[in-house]
Amino acid sequence: NAGVTQTPKFRILKIGQSMTLQCTQDMNHNYMYWYRQDPGMGLKLIYYSVGAGITDKGEVPNGYNVSRSTTEDFPLRLELAAPSQTSVYFCASMWSSGVYNEQFFGPGTRLTVL
Amino acid sequence: QQQVKQSPQSLIVQKGGISIINCAYENTAFDYFPWYQQFPGKGPALLIAIRPDVSEKKEGRFTISFNKSAKQFSLHIMDSQPGDSATYFCAARGGGFQKLVFGTGTRLLVSP
């Protein structure tokens, strides 16, 4: 199993451009999450999904959109990129059965908006 | 109330020493407290976790101590090794759908 994969690894965007960060997991996990990580700030939840067709906002959703058409894929869309969106983005997935479950993280996408 | 406060921000420990990272929370509805380890250029990975009905959990050199009344928990790394040099995040689960609230992270450097 490849686990959680993210593409691209790095990207530089100009202000106002748009892009989609890709996230795919091959573990048949039903829950998926998008986080952003800024220095000294920890990880902040952007959006999450509990299954195909079901998404909801996290703590910092402004400027982002998501969709979940399949179990495997959970892309994050940035519209009209702003310098404040410069960050490292992590996708995670988890199987929700059981009480104490592990979120598995991808390797991240480092995004710079200039 | 959804915050988890983590300290210190950075930590330097000699090889063989004990590393201690502390976290505190306010929301008594949190019901699961994992620690994640992150190496440079990688995503976080689960290191060890504890339930609030347990006061201590040990896995090898890593121990979580949990004080429910004080709403604090800490990670102890015994016999710290250079390979333990990484950023450590505490987290707490709450708010439904197994969402985690993360601390701000501690960058640990174990000197040889």
Side-chain angles (χ1 to χ4, degrees):
Chain A
N1 286 351
V4 180
T5 57
Q6 293 183 237
T7 57
K9 291 190 188 311
F10 305 94
R11 183 75 185 266
I12 298 175
L13 279 183
K14 293 183 179 178
I15 295 172
Q17 288 185 321
S18 301
M19 78 165 292
T20 299
L21 282 66
Q22 302 291 347
C23 174
T24 300
Q25 53 93 8
D26 63 358
M27 297 174 282
N28 202 33
H29 287 167
N30 52 346
Y31 284 18
M32 295 187 74
Y33 307 85
W34 273 107
Y35 295 91
R36 60 177 288 171
Q37 182 178 22
D38 301 302
M41 299 294 290
L43 291 95
K44 300 290 186 184
L45 182 64
I46 305 171
Y47 270 94
Y48 66 99
S49 170
V50 300
I54 306 170
T55 63
D56 205 351
K57 296 177 181 179
E59 184 181 357
V60 290
N62 291 345
Y64 308 95
N65 275 301
V66 294
S67 60
R68 182 109 181 261
S69 58
T70 67
T71 298
E72 295 78 19
D73 300 306
F74 189 39
L76 177 71
R77 178 81 177 163
L78 279 71
E79 304 280 2
L80 298 175
S84 61
Q85 294 178 304
T86 293
S87 188
V88 182
Y89 292 85
F90 289 100
C91 178
S93 72
M94 185 183 73
W95 181 246
S96 64
S97 72
V99 181
Y100 304 106
N101 302 309
E102 176 182 356
Q103 289 190 18
F104 291 85
F105 283 79
T109 294
R110 183 175 294 273
L111 175 67
T112 302
V113 182
L114 299 174
Chain B
Q1 253 207 338
Q2 283 295 98
Q3 284 185 333
V4 176
K5 295 182 180 179
Q6 183 172 347
S7 62
Q9 188 173 11
S10 61
L11 182 61
I12 300 175
V13 173
Q14 296 265 9
K15 179 182 175 181
I18 302 173
S19 304
I20 302 174
I21 304 170
N22 301 299
C23 287
Y25 64 97
E26 289 295 324
N27 188 346
T28 56
F30 287 147
D31 65 354
Y32 173 61
F33 300 87
W35 284 87
Y36 280 78
Q37 180 188 53
Q38 183 182 30
F39 292 105
K42 305 292 186 183
L46 181 65
L47 180 64
I48 186 172
I50 197 166
R51 306 188 317 250
D53 57 344
V54 175
S55 61
E56 184 177 281
K57 183 173 182 181
K58 184 176 181 179
E59 291 184 1
R61 296 183 294 108
F62 301 91
T63 300
I64 301 177
S65 297
F66 189 85
N67 186 329
K68 189 173 182 177
S69 61
K71 291 184 281 186
Q72 295 175 347
F73 59 110
S74 59
L75 175 69
H76 295 237
I77 306 174
M78 311 300 289
D79 187 26
S80 298
Q81 298 296 312
D84 297 330
S85 297
T87 299
Y88 293 82
F89 293 96
C90 62
R93 186 178 73 179
F97 302 110
Q98 311 234 16
K99 288 181 288 185
L100 295 177
V101 177
F102 284 86
T104 51
T106 296
R107 182 173 290 186
L108 172 65
L109 176 63
V110 181
S111 59

